[in-house]
């Protein structure tokens, strides 16, 4: 069973649409959760952390459901510039000296079309 | 902002060559990581280091070694490059403070082994 699973997509949506991505994780002891964004041929960058109570940053909303072991990312009013691959990241294990090892999902590709 | 610099953007090597990939960060981060990213497989952790001269194997360490002689520099070594090590290599760094798990990535090195 994969540790972190995402629907690979691609999700092709028109500008202005609302799109949601889900991610499931297998280890119930997982500590922290994140969404990273990766543009084509670029490095991943942190989009937002995911908190137990859910959190919002502008058009982006992240939710965590510990009971069902999934996290979600909702993008409202999609822009062309939102086109990217979105990576679900889970902190799974304490590796020593204050370091938590992160595991990445394979990513969900989003294309926003005019 | 944090800067993580990888020495080469593109590299072409021959089978059997010894290859050094260098990564330098300028924010005094304790933790540094090497990932490889392949289509359909996502990011996979090769090695990480949580302090100078400290290293731990990630998920796919076979065929690789690392060196962390100075805090700002983390080197990935392919002792004898093989064609299946053709990949995008991404270095990342992070503070070890528990409330700051944000990873900063370098722009990547696309390695081709012929």
């Amino acid at each position: 069973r994969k540790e972190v699973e995402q629907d690979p997509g691609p999700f092709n949506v028109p500008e202005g649409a609302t799109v949601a991505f889900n991610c499931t994780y297998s280890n119930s002891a997982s500590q922290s959760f994140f969404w990273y964004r990766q543009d084509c041929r670029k490095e991943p960058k942190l989009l937002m952390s995911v908190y137990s109570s859910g959190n919002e940053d502008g058009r982006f909303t992240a939710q965590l459901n510990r009971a069902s072991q999934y996290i979600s990312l909702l993008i409202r009013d999609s822009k062309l510039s939102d086109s990217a691959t979105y990576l679900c990241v889970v902190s799974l294990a304490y590796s020593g000296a204050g370091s938590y090892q992160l595991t990445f999902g394979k990513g969900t590709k989003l294309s926003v079309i005019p | 902002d944090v800067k993580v610099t990888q020495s080469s953007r593109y590299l072409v090597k021959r089978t059997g060559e010894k290859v050094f990939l260098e990564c330098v960060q300028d924010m005094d981060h304790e933790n540094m990581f090497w990932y490889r990213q392949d289509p359909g497989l996502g990011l996979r952790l090769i090695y990480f280091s949580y302090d100078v001269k400290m290293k731990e194997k990630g998920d796919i360490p076979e065929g690789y070694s690392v060196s962390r002689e100075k805090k700002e520099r983390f080197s990935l070594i392919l002792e004898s490059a093989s064609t299946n090590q053709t990949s995008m290599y991404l270095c990342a760094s992070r503070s070890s403070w528990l409330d700051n798990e944000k990873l900063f990535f370098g722009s990547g090195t696309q390695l081709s082994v012929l």
Side-chain angles (χ1 to χ4, degrees), chain A residues 9-105:
Chain A
F11 284 56
N12 299 315
V13 302
E15 271 186 288
T18 295
V19 61
F21 307 135
N22 287 329
C23 166
T24 58
Y25 60 94
S26 60
N27 191 329
S28 60
S30 297
Q31 305 283 337
S32 307
F33 310 88
F34 310 89
W35 284 101
Y36 276 71
R37 171 195 169 126
Q38 186 172 23
D39 293 303
C40 187
R41 286 189 283 275
K42 299 276 191 178
E43 72 273 20
K45 293 184 179 178
L46 180 66
L47 177 66
M48 58 197 303
S49 302
V50 186
Y51 303 120
S52 297
S53 54
N55 48 299
E56 191 173 304
D57 182 3
R59 299 181 292 107
F60 298 83
T61 301
Q63 300 257 335
L64 167 64
N65 185 320
R66 283 191 185 271
S68 300
Q69 295 181 204
Y70 79 82
I71 67 174
S72 64
L73 177 68
L74 183 78
I75 306 175
R76 290 182 299 278
D77 188 23
S78 300
K79 311 289 185 193
L80 295 177
S81 57
D82 294 335
S83 297
T85 296
Y86 291 83
L87 305 173
C88 171
V89 184
V90 176
S91 173
L92 284 177
Y94 182 73
S95 306
S99 172
Y100 284 79
Q101 189 168 324
L102 302 178
T103 296
F104 285 75

Side-chain angles (χ1 to χ4, degrees), chain A residues 36 43-45 104, chain B residues 4 35 43 90-93 103-107:
Chain A
Y36 276 71
E43 72 273 20
K45 293 184 179 178
F104 285 75
Chain B
V4 180
Y35 291 89
L43 271 98
L90 288 159
C91 174
S93 76
L103 270 178
F104 295 87
F105 283 89
S107 54

